[in-house]
Amino acid sequence: MDSNWKNLRINEQRFKSDFDELCQIGKFGATGVSRPALSDAHSEARRWFHRKAREAGLITHIDGAGNHSARLECNRKGAKSLLMGSHLDSVPNGGRYDGALGVLAALEVLRSLKENNIPLAVNLEAIDFTDEEGILVSFLGSFAFSGKLTTEDLTNPRGNRLELENRLKQAGMSAEGILAARCDPGTLAGYLELHVEQGPLLEAQGVDIGIVSNISGISFYRLTYIGKAGHAGTISMQDRRDASQGSSAFTLAARQIVLEQFPECFSNVGVARYEPGLFNVIPEKAEIALEFRSAYMDQFTKLKSALLQRAEEEAARFNLGLNIEFLGQRIPVELDETMRHAILEASESLGLRSAPIISRAGHDAQAMADVCPTGMIFIPSVAGISHSPDELTHWQDCVNGANVLLQTALRIAISFS
Ligand code: HGY
Ligand code: MN
Ligand code: MN
């Protein structure tokens, strides 16, 4: 192939108009989106993605886990496939860039390569993974695709089980179909994902492109403190077994443990529910959703022990029972050296400043990292804001990211020639 490919760039005008169109689907307020997995808005966004792919002459496909993809076949029999993508689902009060930008950029790369008749030795596939945000089952699509999803993930999801069943039925999906969606790793040349950083580092350092070295692991638990219901005005403060005391004390303690002992880690209690949940009844049950994150396996294990031990201590302190339900984990991963080097070369060829970065957020790339060579490209988030309608990435950074994805994909594809 002649060296003209190094000057190839995406079609900026089409990329922008598609992005603006996609933002209208599931629009939330002035600048947000709400496209929870398998919701009407999410399904509409997926139909839109496939329509755009067909218009470009790409082959569309949906697997048993609902992963939607668009394919550009090369003319080499038995060629491997280079996947690029992310997720079109969002958190309910989400931003326009998280996930969607990566899927759109992958589609744009395939269209640009197709219309420039670039001869490739690998197939290219743009993929949108199901429920990356875990409103139902965290990383449902990419964990099914990479063969990691278990029946347990579906029978005891971190989201609402009934909701999961209803949404799967509505989408015409089944547990069997999902668990059968495993890809054959031998068919994959690699996986690349463009994503907004969702943190403040790149913007603060004035860096255009983050070359992700590691993606943090995430563990999630449901903790239920069990006390005794009673009249809120007659049981003495000393004698009551108030479940909310245990859950609140633990929530504060978890933050202290991370700040003092695990300063590079994160913990979050994103949900707290009391039963019976009335003004004048002492809570007999307090259920909290605990999530914690670390970029390194040994630290991750130590953090888990420290948090769960403290959870038990707070139960004892307030004379409460404690039920600890493990709901899943996504282990910390290190990303492929060859991919990282290709992203560096691509960034330099575009005159962009790049730096290695650890991803604190979880991503579908985490599921792919042990299945095929995997790389992630970050672009700056303004003020590090994400999972909010205020999420913003400057459009030039989006174009830069898509061009780095294009040039990285070409470098990887050429290595298979
Ligand atoms: O939770 C995460 O880190 C990702 O946004 N799903
Ligand atoms: Mn994301
Ligand atoms: Mn997200």
Side-chain angles (χ1 to χ4, degrees):
M1 181 162 47
D2 67 32
S3 63
N4 261 344
W5 61 268
K6 291 186 178 168
N7 304 316
L8 194 59
R9 301 289 181 266
I10 62 155
N11 177 323
E12 288 190 30
Q13 186 275 327
R14 178 174 59 198
F15 187 44
K16 182 70 170 70
S17 65
D18 276 354
F19 179 77
D20 292 342
E21 246 181 76
L22 181 56
C23 290
Q24 300 311 313
I25 303 176
K27 195 170 160 68
F28 177 83
T31 58
V33 293
S34 180
R35 293 197 291 254
L38 304 185
S39 62
D40 293 345
H42 180 229
S43 305
E44 189 189 338
R46 304 187 110 177
R47 287 192 297 275
W48 176 92
F49 166 54
H50 265 185
R51 196 170 56 248
K52 289 288 176 180
R54 280 192 296 275
E55 285 165 7
L58 300 170
I59 303 160
T60 56
H61 176 68
I62 304 174
D63 71 13
N67 297 316
H68 281 54
S69 61
R71 233 168 121 74
L72 175 61
E73 303 263 345
C74 70
N75 52 18
R76 179 181 286 194
K77 209 163 161 19
K80 290 187 178 236
S81 298
L82 176 59
L83 290 185
M84 289 169 275
S86 193
H87 59 93
L88 287 174
D89 68 293
S90 78
V91 291
N93 61 330
R96 293 175 287 178
Y97 303 84
D98 178 359
L101 192 85
V103 176
L104 207 50
L107 174 64
E108 181 48 39
V109 165
L110 265 63
R111 287 187 297 201
S112 300
L113 292 177
K114 183 170 190 316
E115 62 197 14
N116 286 281
N117 300 310
I118 304 283
L120 295 171
V122 290
N123 305 310
L124 294 182
E125 192 155 350
I127 191 161
D128 153 38
F129 286 115
T130 304
D131 195 19
E132 187 275 349
E133 294 294 0
I135 195 118
L136 300 166
V137 177
S138 171
F139 299 94
L140 186 151
S142 50
F143 265 66
F145 187 85
S146 58
K148 295 182 186 67
L149 202 73
T150 62
T151 315
E152 174 73 11
D153 287 324
L154 295 173
T155 50
N156 192 18
R158 81 171 195 180
N160 177 310
R161 168 140 180 75
L162 206 58
E163 182 81 5
L164 173 64
E165 277 176 351
N166 292 339
R167 295 239 176 134
L168 292 183
K169 216 155 107 200
Q170 202 185 346
M173 289 163 64
S174 68
E176 298 70 29
I178 293 171
L179 295 168
R182 184 178 184 283
C183 74
D184 168 3
T187 62
L188 299 179
Y191 175 70
L192 277 170
E193 181 165 356
L194 170 65
H195 205 288
V196 290
E197 180 203 337
Q198 299 179 294
L201 301 179
L202 293 179
E203 183 186 48
Q205 294 161 6
V207 169
D208 302 309
I209 297 291
I211 303 175
V212 179
S213 56
N214 305 69
I215 305 178
S216 294
I218 315 175
S219 241
F220 15 96
Y221 286 79
R222 185 178 297 121
L223 305 184
T224 307
Y225 283 87
I226 301 149
K228 190 165 172 33
H231 193 298
T234 57
I235 310 280
S236 79
M237 293 304 279
Q238 292 76 6
D239 296 341
R240 57 186 61 190
R241 290 178 57 223
D242 177 347
S244 74
Q245 297 301 302
S247 61
S248 318
F250 170 72
T251 301
L252 288 172
R255 180 175 181 278
Q256 247 6 71
I257 286 168
V258 173
L259 286 174
E260 289 163 9
Q261 301 170 40
F262 299 90
E264 295 170 346
C265 297
F266 297 79
S267 75
N268 190 51
V269 173
V271 180
R273 255 194 293 271
Y274 296 155
E275 282 182 18
L278 298 166
F279 273 92
N280 58 357
V281 180
I282 299 167
E284 68 178 338
K285 268 193 188 166
E287 181 189 290
I288 52 177
L290 168 67
E291 185 193 88
F292 52 90
R293 302 175 184 228
S294 165
Y296 305 102
M297 200 62 209
D298 55 344
Q299 198 183 51
F300 197 37
T301 312
K302 287 184 190 124
L303 175 58
K304 176 179 123 183
S305 329
L307 290 173
L308 296 186
Q309 184 188 323
R310 188 56 179 269
E312 298 281 4
E313 288 164 2
E314 296 301 345
R317 183 174 154 211
F318 292 98
N319 187 18
L320 302 171
L322 173 61
N323 184 21
I324 297 179
E325 260 181 284
F326 172 64
L327 294 177
Q329 82 171 1
R330 307 304 179 229
I331 58 166
V333 295
E334 190 167 352
L335 295 186
D336 179 80
E337 267 302 330
T338 312
M339 285 290 188
R340 287 156 63 179
H341 187 70
I343 298 168
L344 175 65
E345 276 192 346
S347 305
E348 286 175 347
S349 74
L350 290 157
L352 297 169
R353 289 154 300 177
S354 65
I357 188 169
I358 291 173
S359 174
R360 301 299 179 191
H363 296 287
D364 290 311
Q366 208 151 0
M368 300 300 292
D370 64 349
V371 168
C372 64
T374 295
M376 261 204 105
I377 303 160
F378 271 1
I379 49 177
S381 293
V382 172
I385 297 170
S386 183
H387 283 191
S388 151
D390 297 335
E391 183 181 88
L392 175 65
T393 289
H394 295 308
W395 189 251
Q396 185 53 50
D397 286 324
C398 297
V399 171
N400 289 345
N403 279 322
V404 169
L405 182 68
L406 171 67
Q407 283 296 322
T408 304
L410 279 167
R411 281 164 171 75
I412 299 298
I414 287 168
S415 68
F416 280 82
S417 308

